[in-house]
Amino acid sequence: MEPLATVSGLATGIDFRQVVDQIIKIEDSRLNYLRRSISDQKADKAAWEEVRDLLEAIESASEGLSEGSGLDAFTAEVLGDYADNLSVSANSSANEGSYSVRVLQVADREALSSSQISSRSDALGISGQIAFGGSVVEVAAADSLVSIASAINQANTGEDATGVSATIVGSEGAYRLIVSADATGEEGLGYADVDGVMASLGLVGSYDSLKTRTGGGFASDELSSSSTEVGTLLGFSSGTPSGTVTLAGVSFAVDLATDSLEDIRDNFNTAAGLASSSAFAAVEEVTTGQYRLSITGTASASDDDGVLAALGVLQADTSSVSQVVQGGVLASDAGGTPADASTLVSGLFNGASSAGVNAGDTIQFEGTKDDGSAFSFAMTLVGGEDLQDVLDLLNGAQGFDGSATASITDGRLTVTSGTPGVSLLSLDAFAGNEGGGILDFGSFSTTTQGRDRMVSTGQDALVEIDGVLVTSSSNAIDDAVDGVTFTAVSADASKTLSVEVSRDTDLAEEAVKGLVDAVNGFFGYVSKGIGQEGAARSALAGDSVLRGLRTQIGDALRNAEAAGASGTLKLFDVGVEITREGAYSFESSAFTDQMLVDPSGVEALISDLLADIDVIVESELTTGSGSISGRVERIDESIDRVETSLFDREQRLEVRREQLLLQYTKLEQSISLLQGQQSSLAAVSATLPKASK
């Protein structure tokens, strides 16, 4: 920055700023050698980084081949018209071959649906515990559908995740809780509804059937220990089920908070002995580290405290629910006694008064069957008909025609769907009361919604491979045939699929070509600019290190050999040859031919080559001082030093510029002052009298 705001040369007539600029320019030009050094070193750095990229390309191609993605590649294909039933893949562990496959069953995850609930956010008044896979979900009376779903999902987090998720499906006033297993397989949700929470939600029915039958009786679920308290294994911290249970006719006390499987076994056997029962219990190790309680004797079990549900002895009813439609209560007398099927229509009451049904009166029935098809008919009373006559007409061809059953339940005209699950069943009955009566069947409504509790059944995949039945909890079966994964897509036992596994020579060709291209890329760079000058010459043209690397890699290519099926194999036998220009060519047809007749020999040959190339390339790509990274690091350090030196000198030049400007400014001021004094003296001199001659 100039020290003074002056106009250069007013006093001297010399543009001293231009003079200073010229001086600084001359002195600055003496720093150009530093700038050239920085530029040259940056070019060297970029060149070495390019070399590193080229060597890394060789390393990557080599790794691809050595890891089997090339030479050991196989392809698998499903042939025929029903190929969509199955997908297959093969890896380097496979062998060529053909397989006959039938998909008998696809794996699915278990999912349960609750009954219809009117609100997502209102308290449901349900409380208790649900056990899922070693964790317990606590449900309080104040919990809503949303909070119950949240609690189930929260338990499905972290290291001890239950593998069970919950969602809410539906619209305003009609919501359902869907509880589903995350994984496919017959293990399913693995739940125990010890306090009836799931039953209250309509996810399951009663626990009234044995879960696992054995040849001599029944068994519990499998647990990870036979000596640890069952409650601990199931994840209970409080409220652990306990009570009296009856197994095979023998009653005894069980407390899952303190009893292990071994304790339950011993307690049962003691109780059976006292009862002179021949039934007995044992603890079986089903698989390594998995134990279950096995009861031999009469196949019966019961309790009222959720103990057997927690143990997995009893299973819940998950069958579909039939839709039920009901009308109002029909009374058979003034006291309101509910009518039954034998009650005469003319004997029906409406409140305390007779309905006054007369011969000639009509009843109009309108409804829909399970499938939504409508019907409508009228019944004309002739006298003497009872409600069973009404039911017979409703159940006959004019009415539900076998799709549903009409009955009288607690005085109500009740229709129950004949097919459990979602139904479009409906009914309305209108009394004509032509004789002046007051018969009224009431308003009909759905009292039990038809639905499927089991949205999907947890099941394993069943696939037959060359006559061998293979079971898998997942649809992807990777342990039946070495190196081949069979994935069941859809089941059709009547269709036999043909699977072909063959060597993927295309991928192998691509992998070897990739290595040849990578080597040629490096060789081409080493030769770039040799014998040229100026911009055409690369920064590392003729570098001895690069020439040495090229020689080593070239020797590895020339010397690679392996024992083949019919003699020694060299690279030219698989289509890799050197050209006159010093690069390498690759003939894919020669490679494919050799792969088809001698894949092991080709693999051995390429492996021999890769072993040498890996040693050569790795030595340059390590982090040692002699590696490329070490060279780049040293160049960076040198550039930093030179840039620092250049910056310091440029700063000193700037200081010198300011000093020169200050000196010239002072000189200009001094001359200007002298010129002013001169002018003053001249003016004084002009006023003095001239000397006479």
Side-chain angles (χ1 to χ4, degrees), residues 382-527:
V382 297
E385 293 92 349
D386 57 19
L387 288 178
Q388 184 61 54
D389 294 322
V390 175
L391 298 177
D392 290 343
L393 286 174
L394 282 171
N395 289 327
Q398 297 181 82
F400 294 104
D401 195 20
S403 67
T405 301
S407 62
I408 302 297
T409 305
D410 297 328
R412 296 175 182 270
L413 179 52
T414 302
V415 183
T416 303
S417 171
T419 303
V422 177
S423 171
L424 298 176
L425 188 71
S426 69
L427 178 65
D428 281 306
F430 307 101
N433 292 317
E434 288 85 355
I438 55 173
L439 179 61
D440 186 356
F441 285 90
S443 176
F444 283 79
S445 63
T446 298
T447 55
T448 301
Q449 194 76 37
R451 62 188 179 86
D452 294 318
R453 284 194 183 102
M454 186 71 73
V455 177
S456 57
T457 303
Q459 61 185 24
D460 291 343
L462 297 178
V463 177
E464 182 187 80
I465 303 173
D466 282 351
V468 178
L469 184 63
V470 179
T471 303
S472 170
S473 61
S474 167
N475 282 314
I477 302 171
D478 58 7
D479 56 357
V481 175
D482 287 343
V484 182
T485 298
F486 301 85
T487 302
V489 178
S490 60
D492 189 340
S494 67
K495 303 297 186 297
T496 299
L497 309 174
S498 179
V499 174
E500 296 288 339
V501 179
S502 57
R503 191 172 291 276
D504 190 347
T505 57
D506 290 340
L507 187 58
E509 286 175 17
E510 183 179 344
V512 174
K513 183 177 183 301
L515 177 62
V516 172
D517 289 345
V519 169
N520 284 336
F522 175 70
F523 280 16
Y525 184 84
V526 175
S527 301

Side-chain angles (χ1 to χ4, degrees), residues 235-431:
F236 286 96
S237 58
S238 63
T240 309
S242 65
T244 299
V245 303
T246 301
L247 302 177
V250 177
S251 297
F252 67 107
V254 176
D255 185 348
L256 297 185
T258 58
D259 289 343
S260 66
L261 287 180
E262 294 174 357
D263 295 329
I264 297 172
R265 173 200 63 193
D266 295 342
N267 293 340
F268 174 85
N269 288 334
T270 298
L274 293 174
S276 299
S277 171
S278 60
F280 65 91
V283 173
E284 301 174 340
E285 186 172 13
V286 183
T287 57
T288 303
Q290 292 294 307
Y291 305 87
R292 72 179 184 181
L293 178 70
S294 177
I295 305 295
T296 299
T298 304
S300 63
S302 64
D303 78 336
D304 297 318
D305 303 295
V307 174
L308 298 183
L311 277 169
V313 171
L314 293 178
Q315 65 180 350
D317 177 18
T318 56
S319 61
S320 298
V321 178
S322 296
Q323 183 166 345
V324 178
V325 176
Q326 288 186 314
V329 177
L330 301 173
S332 61
D333 56 34
T337 302
D340 58 30
S342 64
T343 302
L344 293 174
V345 178
S346 59
L348 294 173
F349 277 71
N350 188 343
S353 303
S354 170
V357 177
N358 297 297
D361 285 351
T362 61
I363 304 172
Q364 181 72 27
F365 295 99
E366 297 177 0
T368 54
K369 302 176 184 179
D370 279 342
D371 60 4
S373 58
F375 66 84
S376 176
F377 68 91
M379 177 182 183
T380 301
L381 301 176
V382 297
E385 293 92 349
D386 57 19
L387 288 178
Q388 184 61 54
D389 294 322
V390 175
L391 298 177
D392 290 343
L393 286 174
L394 282 171
N395 289 327
Q398 297 181 82
F400 294 104
D401 195 20
S403 67
T405 301
S407 62
I408 302 297
T409 305
D410 297 328
R412 296 175 182 270
L413 179 52
T414 302
V415 183
T416 303
S417 171
T419 303
V422 177
S423 171
L424 298 176
L425 188 71
S426 69
L427 178 65
D428 281 306
F430 307 101

Side-chain angles (χ1 to χ4, degrees), residues 101-123:
V101 181
R102 288 194 304 150
V103 181
L104 308 179
Q105 178 176 287
V106 295
D108 204 352
R109 61 194 182 98
E110 183 178 12
L112 298 174
S113 173
S114 74
S115 55
Q116 186 170 290
I117 298 172
S118 60
S119 172
R120 292 165 49 93
S121 56
D122 291 346

